[in-house]
Amino acid sequence: MRASWADLAANSAVENAGAGAGTSANNAGPGNSLPPSRSTYVPPHLRNRPPSAEPPAPAYSGGTTSGAGTANAGSRWGAPRGGEYRSGGGGGRGSGWGNRSGGWDCGRDREVNPFGDQDDTEEAFNEQENSGINFDAYEDIPVETSGNNVPPPVNTFAEIDLGEALNANITRCKYVKPTPVQRHAIPISLAGRDLMACAQTGSGKTAAFCFPIISGILRGQPMQRPPRGVRTVYPLALVLSPTRELSMQIHDEARKFAYQTGVKVVVAYGGAPINHQLRDLEKGVDILVATPGRLVDLLERARVSLQMIRYLALDEADRMLDMGFEPQIRKIVEQMDMPPAGVRQTMLFSATFPKEIQRLASDFLSSYIFLAVGRVGSSTDLIVQRVEYVQESDKRSHLMDLLHAQRANGVHGKQALTLVFVETKKGADALEHWLCMNGFPATTIHGDRTQQEREMALRSFKSGNTPILVATDVAARGLDIPHVAHVVNFDLPNDIDDYVHRIGRTGRAGKKGLATAFFNDNNASLARSLAELMQEANQEVPAWLSRYAARSSFGGRNRRSGGGRFGGRDFRREGSFNRGGSDYYNAGNNSAGYGASGGYGAGASSAWD
Ligand SMILES: Nc1ncnc2c1ncn2[C@@H]1O[C@H](COP(=O)(O)OP(=O)(O)OP(=O)(O)O)[C@@H](O)[C@H]1O
């Protein structure tokens, strides 16, 4: 029996919002009346700010940034919640290199407590603790590894010697046990191996590459940086990600993991004043998190040298190596002064890894291990996927119906967060305007907005002040927004992998989520891969979509064919798949879902007839 959309939305909202959320003053009641704040129009991101709130955050949020004016007002250690903490605070940490005492216990005074950075979201949504999330949902997940001498997985963090300070931070993060990708990837990385890891959205990949990097830096000999020029900095680890917001998020996470370890994490991304970032860098950097464009700028100015890089991590690695980014990545990795593959350790992570990208990526790796957790390129079963046939001209009213239903089923009057993906920047602005005019507080994030606007939009959405975010693909990858109950693909993407990442903004960390897509003739080329994906994820495929899929023999950019279940295999094993082969080690204890036979391989299309 098919559950109604409203039920799904309500359930999802309950799952994600938890109890105790008060009614946002911003949320107009059901109906079409404009929200009160519209009469004296205040941009959505500025609504509900307490009178004493700080001015809109600057366009940067580097944790060690010092240029925020009042940055030193108050908090240092253990900055209390509720506004005193500033991510731009701190400053004046005894900088320079080699400050780490080399041991595990090297707390540093003046380090701002990143765990104080709990925004309003926590209170607003009364979030479940991470310890309460349903990682059991991942227990039966198929795992496959290939490569030589794959280190065995661990079951607990205690089994890995990450060191006292890092363990304390894991406890602070309320991580009780490692997620499947962490169970496998952390021992592999700690053993110094290069890694190409593919695991579902929201399954904890960030920690999977951050923990080994921090641990490795702590264990390593303090490095004497070459005296190339006083203003050049020499990070030991480089983490690249495709979007500014994702880099900021990784930076925030990494700072939590590195708290009181003495390992310095700095972020650099475009659209924000470079001078602030330069100042941060000058204070010292062990781990540099960056977007490629800004990093190239810093390299060309000789303000950063990659000579000392020991660890290179590419998050959303398939995106980083697709046509848009590849030249920049090659420049950074191959044409500057970074140590070559084999000398540095390289880790690539994504939820999707098309074979052609795997092939490209292998240029950056040395004797690497391929790790697939879950059905590669698939979405998690935690996300209920719905596809509705909606003509272009009906999309707005259809969206309105969904939002009304969601609002009617809101939890304690709090509207669940809804992320709406559209194709174009203009389309995003137009839809945002229309939603606001119709009483639905919305904001938007896309490439034509200033960085400051983008950050404000995201913050306003996360806090629930503006519970609808209209976004282009700039928000499709990596963003971890805990209470997104519903992702709506108002316009479907052309590429099924983009769909996977978009819907992955909900159903994260073991929680349930809902994704609705509006499909019409314009999306015919996606029909087959979409139907295939849904079937893989045990979703109900509408009969009409199956018919589209059967018809569309061209199948769009279906990168999945020929790779067994969803191309989820190491491309090196193409054509020579052999479970007993010497270069193949199946570390998973439950890899049954990955057989070359069974599943939805070649015969998948018959399912649509
Ligand atoms: N061991 C753990 N225990 C509890 N929560 C965890 C654990 N590891 C990660 N998390 C939480 O899970 C959420 C998702 O993690 P993360 O953003 O790293 O996912 P991801 O796999 O990188 O997703 P995406 O593919 O979308 O980038 C985060 O909120 C993170 O804090």
Side-chain angles (χ1 to χ4, degrees), residues 109-270:
D109 44 4
R110 308 189 70 118
E111 181 178 13
V112 174
N113 179 358
F115 296 95
D117 189 13
Q118 307 288 348
D119 59 24
D120 299 341
T121 320
E122 299 303 303
E123 286 92 58
F125 287 93
N126 189 20
E127 191 189 24
Q128 324 166 16
E129 293 184 343
N130 280 336
S131 53
I133 64 179
N134 181 23
F135 273 119
D136 293 344
Y138 297 125
E139 280 305 307
D140 293 331
I141 214 154
V143 176
E144 187 172 296
T145 51
S146 54
N148 293 319
N149 304 319
V150 182
V154 293
N155 289 311
T156 62
F157 286 122
E159 285 173 57
I160 332 164
D161 183 18
L162 289 169
E164 218 174 281
L166 192 43
N167 279 335
N169 292 332
I170 292 172
T171 306
R172 287 187 179 106
C173 287
K174 303 189 178 79
Y175 293 180
V176 173
K177 59 179 179 176
T179 66
V181 65
Q182 293 164 3
R183 290 180 50 220
H184 290 263
I186 294 174
I188 291 171
S189 304
L190 284 176
R193 300 295 301 275
D194 280 7
L195 174 66
M196 183 186 287
C198 200
Q200 289 167 323
T201 51
S203 62
K205 295 187 286 294
T206 314
F209 61 77
C210 283
F211 290 176
I213 290 176
I214 296 167
S215 166
I217 291 175
L218 288 168
R219 284 160 189 273
Q221 294 297 314
M223 301 291 271
Q224 198 60 49
R225 267 80 164 181
R228 179 159 133 189
V230 278
R231 309 195 87 187
T232 306
V233 297
Y234 299 85
L236 301 175
L238 176 64
V239 178
L240 291 172
S241 100
T243 67
R244 299 163 183 177
E245 289 76 16
L246 181 53
S247 286
M248 291 162 65
Q249 179 182 298
I250 295 168
H251 170 246
D252 290 342
E253 289 294 285
R255 274 180 55 233
K256 289 181 190 165
F257 303 148
Y259 180 52
Q260 291 190 347
T261 63
V263 173
K264 293 177 170 185
V265 191
V266 175
V267 65
Y269 55 88

